Amino acid sequence: MTATIVPPATTTEAPPARRIVRPIPTTRLVTVELRKMFTTRSGFWMLISIGVLLVIAAGSVLIFAPDSDVTYKSFATASGFPMSVILPMIAILAVTSEWSQRSGLTTFTLVPSRGRVVGAKAIATLLVGLGSVAVAFAVGALANVAGSALAGVDTVWDISLSMAPQMVLGNLVGMAIGFTLGVVLRNSAAAIVGYFVVSLVMPGILVLLAQVREWFLDLQPWIDWNYTQVALFEGATNTGEEWAMLASTTTIWIVIPLVVALLSLRRSEVK
């Protein structure tokens, strides 16, 4: 009795095609980060406070300033002052929310590339900053027209086309400082305190050091970011040396700490 060997059945069916997973586009990441800025309680009330303070600042110029100061620059400067304080706070919260609200595990699971997430946060922060500055200029323009009419003086438009970009850049530099501190510290309270130390305490120390040490007087503009930021707000950054000073302070306070913090963030454990 012989055994019959049955050959294995051959199949001509092709293996199932592997599903191609496409990465989440950057535009969607930026949209999500913008939504998080507006939907969280802290971010929402920060943005609301900007609008309220813009109106209060413009009204205070109209009430307390003499008629000679009823100009577009006075209204725009007054409107920009609250933003110079609040916008860095928004930049800080945009970064530290992943750790303070413990949403980092979800975010970095959906998007493993932490650099893309931080980049989306930076773009969203930039868009919010540009939008807020545009609103400040618009409020200043309306207040200037209304204020000059109420005061019975001519409407003065004393912000030139060269000054306006510098004022915008000054606000963006402040936001970049806050964003950098958020990436470095990754804690909302610590980053906010750090920002006030850097923006309020450090400039005073550097000015005092320049007064008591003559050799530091020429060095201060190259390392004091507040010095170059004030020059931007006043539209006084005109020469090549002044722009070089701005580049120096930006490198010291923003570029170097941000690069080091990003390298640390990419390797640190998310808890």
Side-chain angles (χ1 to χ4, degrees):
M1 184 175 183
T2 59
T4 304
I5 301 176
V6 180
T10 58
T11 178
T12 58
E13 296 180 0
R18 178 177 297 180
R19 181 183 177 185
I20 300 176
V21 180
R22 297 180 180 179
I24 301 176
T26 303
T27 53
R28 187 181 304 173
L29 294 179
V30 175
T31 303
V32 170
E33 294 301 330
L34 285 172
R35 188 185 305 124
K36 289 162 66 175
M37 286 184 179
F38 286 92
T39 55
T40 58
R41 292 181 181 178
S42 56
F44 174 78
W45 286 109
M46 281 285 186
L47 294 174
I48 291 297
S49 63
I50 287 180
V52 174
L53 291 176
L54 286 179
V55 177
I56 294 176
S60 63
V61 173
L62 182 60
I63 295 174
F64 298 107
D67 293 344
S68 59
D69 290 337
V70 180
T71 63
Y72 184 38
K73 185 177 181 180
S74 298
F75 286 108
T77 303
S79 300
F81 177 75
M83 288 196 311
S84 65
V85 178
I86 297 178
L87 286 180
M89 305 298 105
I90 295 177
I92 289 173
L93 295 175
V95 181
T96 57
S97 60
E98 302 295 347
W99 284 267
S100 60
Q101 299 178 11
R102 299 183 180 181
S103 59
L105 287 174
T106 303
T107 300
F108 296 132
T109 300
L110 296 174
V111 186
S113 177
R114 302 182 187 180
R116 292 189 64 208
V117 174
V118 176
K121 291 179 181 293
I123 296 174
T125 301
L126 175 64
L127 294 176
V128 171
L130 291 175
S132 300
V133 173
V135 171
F137 277 116
V139 171
L142 293 175
N144 188 32
V145 173
S148 58
L150 292 174
V153 297
D154 295 333
T155 304
V156 179
W157 304 98
D158 52 351
I159 294 182
S160 63
L161 293 178
S162 61
M163 290 177 59
Q166 292 190 32
M167 297 174 70
V168 174
L169 183 59
N171 281 286
L172 296 182
V173 168
M175 291 192 74
I177 291 288
F179 187 87
T180 301
L181 288 171
V183 178
V184 170
L185 300 175
R186 301 170 213 164
N187 181 277
S188 300
I192 291 174
V193 172
Y195 175 76
F196 282 114
V197 170
V198 170
S199 60
L200 299 179
V201 179
M202 285 299 298
I205 295 176
L206 295 178
V207 169
L208 180 61
L209 183 60
Q211 292 177 350
V212 299
R213 292 292 184 267
E214 186 176 355
W215 60 268
F216 188 74
L217 185 61
D218 296 331
L219 185 61
Q220 179 196 357
W222 297 88
I223 63 175
D224 186 358
W225 78 273
N226 187 70
Y227 182 93
T228 55
Q229 189 186 32
V230 170
L232 285 175
F233 282 129
E234 295 177 351
T237 305
N238 300 315
T239 66
E241 183 180 12
E242 290 170 342
W243 285 107
M245 292 176 181
L246 176 63
S248 175
T249 57
T250 301
T251 302
I252 294 173
W253 291 97
I254 298 177
V255 177
I256 295 177
L258 187 58
V259 170
V260 174
L262 287 175
L263 293 175
S264 174
L265 184 146
R266 294 181 61 183
R267 300 178 181 180
S268 63
E269 181 182 0
V270 180
K271 299 180 180 179

